Amino acid sequence: MPKIGSISFVEKNLKENQFKIKKKFGQNFLTDASILKRIVDSAELDKNTAVIEIGPGLGALTELLCEAAGFVLAYEIDADLIPILNQNLKEFTNYKIIFEDILKADVLNDIEHYLKEYKNIYVVANLPYYITTPILLGLLSKNLPIQRYVTMMQLEVANRICGKPDTKDYNALSVWVEYKAKPTKICKVPRTVFVPAPNVDSAVIRLDVYAEAPIKAIDEEIFSKLIRQCFAQRRKTLYNNLSLAYDKIYVQQMLDNLGISPSVRAEVLPLSDFVRMSNYLTQNQK
Ligand code: SAM
């Protein structure tokens, strides 16, 4: 068998199994063993740690995860990959693959069923790019017992997630992730190391989830809605964006009360201002 994560590993698997790559599932298989290793090393795994992988594909990353972690729970939407994954992971017993759409899975229930004896639970994955944001937002907002995410995604989304105030990358996603976790960029990954090559470059990022948010929004649903509204139209002022969803007088009162200028744009505000606005809305609901 060729070395895992190499071009010949991917080509052999596809050919021998007559597997047709499905673009609709974001199937871009990684063919660079050093990047696979970088992902696994950045997660800092041990045998007391269980990993949740989303989209094992041909199993190249999964194999390294089975070696480094106590257990791997993987979600794969494409049941045509069953024989390939069974073959490539045949020397391991410490894994379970659930053939299901991650966006429909009851992850908390699966964690309780398969991973309850593990001290740490980390997500480590080369994500399907067409649903990167819903996967991350979905898992983070459910407050699952997951302490860390090491994930590959398109570079543009990675930049947004790690975006800082007053830069073009800073948006609602940056604010939401910053509220939940400490983001770190691990490395950029060129499109040329995938089969087939996607149209964009990628990046690996790590999110260390806060056990307790440093600044607490009383109601996270109100917070989430508020940040989306603040960034609804990038060129509009904070006041104008908020007035599209909330009563104008109420918005003016809130901004006066909190000492936030109505004419600023959301992209210059730090996380603490969004939390203060959210908590004002929660405590002064009409
Ligand atoms: N881990 C492999 C690698 O690094 O080469 C494959 C990564 S590929 C970018 C994304 C994988 O996610 C594919 O195997 C695809 O079938 C799977 N996938 C796509 N949508 C999914 C979903 N909604 N739920 C679970 N898996 C999904």
Side-chain angles (χ1 to χ4, degrees), residues 4 35-57 59-75 88-89 92-97 118 122-126 150-151:
I4 52 159
I35 293 169
L36 286 172
K37 185 171 179 317
R38 186 88 193 264
I39 294 173
V40 176
D41 289 350
S42 318
E44 297 178 36
L45 302 172
D46 59 31
K47 290 289 167 186
N48 294 317
T49 301
V51 165
I52 297 177
E53 186 187 4
I54 297 141
L61 179 59
T62 323
E63 197 172 323
L64 299 183
L65 295 173
C66 286
E67 278 169 8
F71 194 84
V72 179
L73 173 65
Y75 294 90
N88 288 339
L89 300 172
F92 299 99
T93 51
N94 60 334
Y95 74 92
K96 166 78 189 167
I97 298 178
Y118 291 92
Y122 299 167
V123 168
V124 183
N126 174 12
V150 176
T151 52

Side-chain angles (χ1 to χ4, degrees), residues 25-30 55-57 76-77 101-102 126 128 130-131:
F25 289 150
Q27 290 177 344
N28 301 99
F29 301 115
L30 189 54
E76 174 54 66
I77 199 169
D101 181 344
I102 182 65
N126 174 12
Y130 71 108
I131 45 170

